Amino acid sequence: MPSFGLTLIPITSLANPNFAMKVTVFSAKPFEQDYYHQADDRGLQLQFESAPLSVATAALATGSQAISIFTNDDASAPVLDLLQQLGVQSIAIRAAGFNNIDCEHAKKLGLRVANVPAYSPYAVAEHTVAMILALNRKLIQADRQIRAYNFELDELIGFDLHGKRVGIIGLGQIGAIVAQIMHGFGCTILGSDPVVNATLQTRFGVEYMSVEELCSQADIITLHAPLNDHTQHLVNKNLIEQMKPGVMLINTGRGALLHTTEVMEALKTGKIGYLGMDVYEHEKDLFFYDHSQNIPLDDTFARLLSFKNVLITGHQGFLTKTALQNITDTTLYNLACWNQQQASENELFPQAVPANLHIY
Ligand code: NAI
């Protein structure tokens, strides 16, 4: 193996326009594979692997020049080192968020990394609103009752959304659409974001304020900020203390935006009245797999499931046909760019290909 672990493709491959770049697709789901039928036309040979990327599975990328990963794959430094030794040159993540990739290390190793910056903010925003409606109007419990022929209404009382104050933390692509939809319900929109969007102020009357101020005023709080060093455990004991009693908290961003055990304590006291989560701090190895025959090992998760006022979905906010098509199109585009030795504009950082290394 060469010292930099690079797989050198014979010169004949470079001259052949039909040369297929091999790509190992980690965490591949059966429903995704139907969307990738155009891969051949783009000169890409995809190898689908259901296993997530990790130190233990990185070897599945042997012989591949690129890989594709999803949100819970482990692209930490040791895994990136292994990939580079195998000759992998580039990583296409099939998501907008990329907090699972050690970008600094990837940059150091000369790996190209690209994401899908926007595939359908509507998908996640609409799922967020679905959670708000389902929790408020107790739709899951109502459905259970009806199937048991229990038509009593006592446990099903909701509240009017009209006139309520909705606090949105992170008013980027997704948060802005949540603002638009909730404004349509007649809610007052409070926002917290280091970047003020004047259009949102004008069109939906978004009132910008600090996250603490937002929490003290909002009836519903929803999180749409990225997960990073500044936002990890943003919702913790201190912030919860400032919230209104019985507040509804929704997280479709990333699990670790919440300090889960401190949120759970607040559920026990009733300080948090409703919790909707599409993401979970410890979702890796739990979400996206069928564990129905296994002993539940995560006590925090099991306890969360015991609350009637908690609604959990397993990271499906993105899961619409439109979003899947857009994710596929952009991922294939990123890979095709690399196959043609071009940079994709979706790369997370510029990466120079050394002149003497013609990989594909
Ligand atoms: P975006 O980058 O368009 O918006 C993020 C916004 O958060 C920006 O306006 C940014 O200024 C703001 N922000 C950054 N730090 C902040 C802080 N400390 N406090 C308040 N605001 C802050 O991202 P987009 O597309 O709206 O996605 C948001 C997040 O949603 C992603 O980072 C990802 O983690 C999550 N997501 C979840 C999905 C799901 O299936 N549940 C699917 C797609 C994204």
Side-chain angles (χ1 to χ4, degrees), residues 126-163:
E126 289 168 11
H127 191 75
T128 302
V129 177
M131 294 195 108
I132 294 172
L133 290 168
L135 277 167
N136 174 22
R137 304 310 296 265
K138 302 178 169 55
L139 297 184
I140 310 294
Q141 187 175 338
D143 181 63
R144 282 196 193 121
Q145 279 190 208
I146 297 294
R147 285 171 199 272
Y149 275 74
N150 173 359
F151 298 95
E152 288 178 356
L153 297 176
D154 307 58
E155 299 298 322
L156 303 178
I157 301 169
F159 59 84
D160 280 18
L161 283 172
H162 186 269

Side-chain angles (χ1 to χ4, degrees), residues 94-146:
R94 309 190 294 286
F98 49 87
N99 51 287
N100 53 328
I101 304 175
D102 186 335
C103 287
E104 277 311 306
H105 198 69
K107 199 171 176 179
K108 212 169 80 188
L109 295 177
L111 294 170
R112 289 176 176 271
V113 182
N115 72 340
V116 183
Y119 46 84
S120 174
Y122 296 97
V124 187
E126 289 168 11
H127 191 75
T128 302
V129 177
M131 294 195 108
I132 294 172
L133 290 168
L135 277 167
N136 174 22
R137 304 310 296 265
K138 302 178 169 55
L139 297 184
I140 310 294
Q141 187 175 338
D143 181 63
R144 282 196 193 121
Q145 279 190 208
I146 297 294

